[in-house]
Amino acid sequence: MKKVICALLALTMVLLCAGCGSSDNGGSKTPSGVYYDITGIAPDETLMEIGGNAIPAELYFYWMTYNCSSIEYQLLSAYNYYGVYDELVNEDNTIKWDADLSEGTTVGQFALQQAEDTIKFYSTIESLAKEYDVTITEEDEAAIEASHAAAVEELGSEEAFEKYLYQLGITQETFDRVATTAYLFDGLTDLVLQEGSPLYLDEADYDQYGVYADHILLSTTDATTGEALSEEEAAAKLETANDLLAQLRASDDPEALFAQLADEYSEDPGRETNPTGYIYTPGTMVQIFEDTAAALAPGEISDVIQSDYGYHIILRKDLSQGFSDYPDQKRTLAEQHLQSIIQLEMAQAEVTRSEKLDDFDLGTFYEDYIARVEELLPEEETTGGDTTTGSTTNSGVSGSDAAGNSDTSGSDTANNSATNSGENG
């Protein structure tokens, strides 16, 4: 049954990415819905205000269940696959929400903070969009409608779609709100890229968010087995690396030679898709790689360094040239900049919480939610099959992944993923 419930949460996030549906609850004057059944709080009652932006109970509680599902998945995956966090897991494979995750913070308290940070993140996008007059486009609306139609087709009917929404406590209004916010993030990112706009980021300032570097990697592990090479084989790799570095130091055009030598000698499996190097954000590559590249000026070449992957020679490259080589990555870094603006706005926003949340216990709420959905969705009525528990953690929320991949989100995603995939260091 738990798999079915997590699949429902996953489906909602997919559909939120897609767009909006409909629900008969949205126009009802009488309070109703899964969350009302659990808490007795009307769906449209304001539970938080963030810089004057009201967050109704339905939206608030949705993010609570989403983040609990995400954290539950992460902890259970670590426990079941690696045998860790056993102190946080009950014998029936459920989470001990009142157990300490860290000193002075229970799992439930952590989940609550993550969920409220997610709410603040989305609310701040809405506030910034209003401030800078950003709205969704006709193209966005068309994408929403097309995705909604695809979701209904996958579920089998509009009625089935509405049933899923009801079981998740999501009305049309809330559904539309989250989906629209995702596209607003895209519109705000456009302003970061638009010269003359109040959010514009000069190209010279992008290096605070990303680094462009190429490297020659001579691997000290066997490509087939993953086992470490013998001392003799590793020593031969080091000798080759030192020889390549000597050639580069003696060259009149070291950058051109670097490209030739990298194409010939580098054993980085990502080079095929990243033939001129990587644009990456801090926290992506192994630490010694990032530290070495950060100490170089554009055009400079490092000495031979060693990581767990092998021996590297690194060329720091000009980020502006990187945007020519990988044009999509400028937008990726623009999203990073926008997220830094959002984080600052979140920190400065005045936040008020309803007194009804004073004694709110998220772990108990989530368990009550699970029990209520089990009542609404008997096992024999499910059609999800072997849906992977917790797949919510891998689903995006937005037209652009950045809106859902904020560090403030409870989802298991990372802002600092490499903007180009390949060898991680």
Side-chain angles (χ1 to χ4, degrees), residues 327-347:
D328 292 343
Q329 303 318 313
K330 186 173 185 179
R331 185 175 188 88
T332 299
L333 298 186
E335 291 171 350
Q336 295 282 325
H337 177 64
L338 176 57
Q339 290 192 46
S340 71
I341 294 173
I342 293 171
Q343 296 284 346
L344 180 61
E345 292 289 325
M346 287 169 57

Side-chain angles (χ1 to χ4, degrees), residues 358-416:
D358 290 348
D359 299 320
F360 179 64
D361 185 303
L362 181 52
T364 300
F365 165 82
Y366 183 65
E367 291 172 353
D368 289 344
Y369 167 78
I370 296 295
R372 180 60 180 148
V373 173
E374 287 179 340
E375 293 175 8
L376 293 170
L377 190 66
E379 186 80 38
E380 60 270 17
E381 292 185 13
T382 66
T383 57
D386 190 20
T387 306
T388 301
T389 301
S391 56
T392 52
T393 58
N394 296 321
S395 54
V397 184
S398 64
S400 130
D401 284 344
N405 292 352
S406 144
D407 281 336
T408 64
S409 171
S411 58
D412 187 23
T413 52
N415 269 332
N416 294 332

Side-chain angles (χ1 to χ4, degrees), residues 62-113:
Y62 172 75
W63 283 118
M64 294 298 116
T65 56
Y66 172 72
N67 279 270
C68 279
S69 176
S70 173
I71 291 170
E72 178 182 55
Y73 169 71
Q74 294 172 54
L75 292 178
L76 290 180
S77 292
Y79 171 70
N80 290 320
Y81 289 104
Y82 304 108
V84 297
Y85 296 127
D86 57 300
E87 73 279 9
L88 305 179
V89 180
N90 292 307
E91 291 184 1
D92 62 354
N93 218 41
T94 59
I95 298 300
K96 298 178 181 178
W97 296 100
D98 58 352
D100 284 343
L101 182 64
S102 59
E103 186 175 355
T105 302
T106 67
V107 179
Q109 290 168 339
F110 174 76
L112 177 64
Q113 184 60 58

Side-chain angles (χ1 to χ4, degrees), residues 27-41:
S28 175
K29 295 182 180 180
T30 302
S32 63
V34 174
Y35 303 138
Y36 178 73
D37 293 344
I38 298 170
T39 66
I41 299 175

Side-chain angles (χ1 to χ4, degrees), residues 96-351:
K96 298 178 181 178
W97 296 100
D98 58 352
D100 284 343
L101 182 64
S102 59
E103 186 175 355
T105 302
T106 67
V107 179
Q109 290 168 339
F110 174 76
L112 177 64
Q113 184 60 58
Q114 290 287 297
E116 290 200 347
D117 283 348
T118 301
I119 293 168
K120 293 174 188 176
F121 183 81
Y122 275 83
S123 175
T124 303
I125 293 173
E126 293 176 330
S127 297
L128 286 173
K130 183 176 181 180
E131 179 179 353
Y132 296 110
D133 197 29
V134 172
T135 59
I136 64 172
T137 65
E138 291 183 0
E139 183 180 358
D140 295 336
E141 292 177 349
I144 286 173
E145 289 300 321
S147 297
H148 171 221
V152 170
E153 181 179 359
E154 181 176 350
L155 286 171
S157 68
E158 189 74 45
E159 181 181 1
F161 179 81
E162 292 175 3
K163 181 178 180 181
Y164 271 102
L165 295 186
Y166 179 76
Q167 289 158 349
L168 286 162
I170 301 296
T171 62
Q172 179 178 352
E173 182 179 4
T174 299
F175 208 54
D176 289 354
R177 181 171 179 174
V178 179
T180 299
T181 304
Y183 288 98
L184 294 178
F185 186 94
D186 283 341
L188 290 167
T189 303
D190 290 340
L191 291 185
V192 174
L193 294 163
Q194 180 181 317
E195 190 169 358
S197 87
L199 294 180
Y200 177 69
L201 180 66
D202 188 88
E203 191 164 285
D205 295 325
Y206 276 79
D207 60 3
Q208 63 187 300
Y209 300 106
V211 174
Y212 186 30
D214 197 3
H215 74 148
I216 299 171
L217 170 66
L218 297 178
S219 179
T220 53
T221 60
D222 186 283
T224 302
T225 66
E227 296 181 358
L229 300 180
S230 67
E231 291 184 6
E232 293 79 8
E233 291 172 317
K237 292 292 184 76
L238 177 58
E239 183 178 354
T240 300
N242 286 327
D243 176 65
L244 296 179
L245 181 62
Q247 294 181 50
L248 291 167
R249 296 288 189 233
S251 175
D252 293 332
D253 190 354
E255 288 194 55
L257 179 60
F258 190 99
Q260 295 174 22
L261 295 177
D263 287 341
E264 182 176 354
Y265 288 95
S266 184
E267 296 170 328
D268 175 1
R271 189 162 189 81
E272 182 176 345
T273 53
N274 298 272
T276 63
Y278 299 93
I279 297 177
Y280 62 89
T281 54
T284 300
M285 314 297 270
V286 292
Q287 194 62 50
I288 190 171
F289 187 105
E290 292 195 3
D291 291 345
T292 302
L296 301 172
E300 285 188 331
I301 295 173
S302 74
D303 292 331
V304 176
I305 64 167
Q306 184 177 10
S307 76
D308 291 341
Y309 293 96
Y311 297 107
H312 309 254
I313 304 172
I314 300 172
L315 168 64
R316 175 76 178 265
K317 307 184 77 170
D318 184 85
L319 190 56
S320 295
Q321 179 59 45
F323 294 148
S324 298
D325 295 337
Y326 304 106
D328 292 343
Q329 303 318 313
K330 186 173 185 179
R331 185 175 188 88
T332 299
L333 298 186
E335 291 171 350
Q336 295 282 325
H337 177 64
L338 176 57
Q339 290 192 46
S340 71
I341 294 173
I342 293 171
Q343 296 284 346
L344 180 61
E345 292 289 325
M346 287 169 57
Q348 296 176 342
E350 180 180 354
V351 179

